[in-house]
Amino acid sequence: MLAAPLFTDTRLEEIHRRLLAHYDRPPVREVWDPLKQFIYSMLSSRTKTEISLEVIRRLEERFGSWENLRDASIPEIEDAIRAVTFPEPKAINLKTALEEITRRCGSLSLEFLKGYRTDKIRLWLERFDGVGVKTSAAVVNFSTLRRRAMCVDSHHLRVTQRLGFVGRSADARETESRLMAMAPVKWPPEMLDEHHSLIKIHGQQLCTKNHPRCVACPLLDLCPAGAGAWEKGVMGAGQAKSTKQGH
Ligand code: SF4
């Protein structure tokens, strides 16, 4: 029989509670089917949320169906996604993935993944070029699959490192493993999604890349990086800016 843990790590719950009190509840996500979420997440890396949302909207408008997008030429797809970063490799990876899904599954749909275990879904998704741990986490957690996973984007990675939960060299996979080990087992997928959104908002508004405003941060007493900045007298103070819910 496994021994019970000596103590329960409640830091993630506490952080969640404080960020909710500070920022209020994030906008409710419009939950998409797994294929749309997959396409969005492939396109959205290193791209602002507003731009990614506009690109997926225009893709739907321009092609009318994901089958038409799949069958379009690479230059045409590249032209349609020109607003995202790295449109050339993303166009190639996206078309290849959509063709491969069709070939393997007989149709262009990811609904069959509902019958798979979460770890198997993620392995299945990560075989495609351009699909890493962040995209597979987004598909399983944000879409109608609604499984337990923590999507770690660049904001989440930075905040988690500053809070000292992982080292400075940790990647998204290691960070997600650490956070999932800390997340209460009672948190359903929707709660993990909300936690991701809160940390992302925090990374956009206060714990920014170049000028974290630790003096205004509700997590300051929990944060080694903030305490270090306090000692050096380099804590920033400034105005928060608005943000938008992404996928
Ligand atoms: S105290 Fe500073 S470094 Fe730490 S989470 Fe807050 S803003 Fe980020």
Side-chain angles (χ1 to χ4, degrees):
M1 201 168 93
L2 286 174
L6 289 177
F7 69 95
T8 307
D9 189 339
T10 58
R11 286 177 293 176
L12 230 53
E13 274 185 295
E14 177 63 14
I15 286 167
H16 195 97
R17 191 186 63 71
R18 291 191 195 186
L19 293 182
L20 258 187
H22 190 83
Y23 296 111
D24 224 336
R25 202 165 289 285
V28 175
R29 181 183 302 282
E30 183 189 337
V31 181
W32 295 337
D33 67 82
L35 182 63
K36 181 173 178 180
Q37 183 65 56
F38 176 78
I39 293 168
Y40 175 89
S41 296
M42 279 193 83
L43 296 176
S44 66
S45 69
R46 299 185 182 277
T47 303
K48 283 196 161 65
T49 298
E50 291 80 359
I51 293 173
S52 302
L53 288 171
E54 181 60 16
V55 166
I56 194 99
R57 190 189 66 73
R58 285 199 187 165
L59 281 180
E60 288 179 301
E61 197 177 270
R62 177 164 172 172
F63 293 101
S65 73
W66 300 131
E67 285 80 3
N68 289 340
L69 172 64
R70 173 199 62 199
D71 297 338
S73 67
I74 299 233
E76 197 181 353
I77 297 174
E78 202 182 305
D79 180 61
I81 65 169
R82 184 144 302 284
V84 303
T85 51
F86 311 122
E88 297 87 356
K90 284 180 180 176
I92 295 168
N93 288 340
L94 181 58
K95 182 173 172 66
T96 305
L98 297 182
E99 287 175 343
E100 185 69 6
I101 291 168
T102 308
R103 195 181 65 74
R104 286 175 180 271
C105 308
S107 66
L108 183 51
S109 168
L110 290 178
E111 293 299 320
F112 73 96
L113 292 174
K114 286 181 176 163
Y116 284 15
R117 284 195 329 256
T118 306
D119 56 346
K120 193 173 172 192
I121 296 174
R122 296 192 64 174
L123 274 177
W124 198 91
L125 294 170
E126 287 175 30
R127 78 175 80 192
F128 296 108
D129 286 343
V131 177
V133 63
K134 173 176 168 270
T135 295
S136 74
V139 173
V140 298
N141 184 242
F142 299 164
S143 79
T144 51
L145 292 172
R146 276 302 196 196
R147 304 293 180 87
R148 291 187 95 245
M150 187 81 82
C151 180
V152 175
D153 63 11
S154 58
H155 296 295
H156 213 137
L157 190 60
R158 180 176 67 254
V159 174
T160 306
Q161 288 174 351
R162 286 176 175 168
L163 286 166
F165 298 154
V166 291
R168 292 286 170 152
S169 60
D171 60 11
R173 191 178 300 280
E174 181 185 343
T175 303
E176 184 187 358
S177 295
R178 175 75 179 123
L179 291 171
M180 287 303 287
M182 293 175 72
V185 287
K186 67 185 180 197
W187 278 9
E190 291 79 2
M191 189 79 166
L192 294 166
D193 181 355
E194 182 175 271
H195 188 76
H196 160 81
S197 296
L198 283 169
I199 296 283
K200 182 172 179 174
I201 291 168
H202 188 54
Q204 290 170 326
Q205 296 201 11
L206 283 180
C207 195
T208 58
K209 185 176 176 192
N210 296 322
H211 302 289
R213 291 184 278 271
C214 304
V215 72
C217 180
L219 310 181
L220 179 57
D221 61 312
L222 302 174
C223 180
W230 178 278
E231 280 162 17
K232 289 182 195 152
V234 294
M235 294 172 61
Q239 298 299 311
K241 59 184 178 187
S242 67
T243 186
K244 193 165 185 174
Q245 169 73 297
H247 274 268

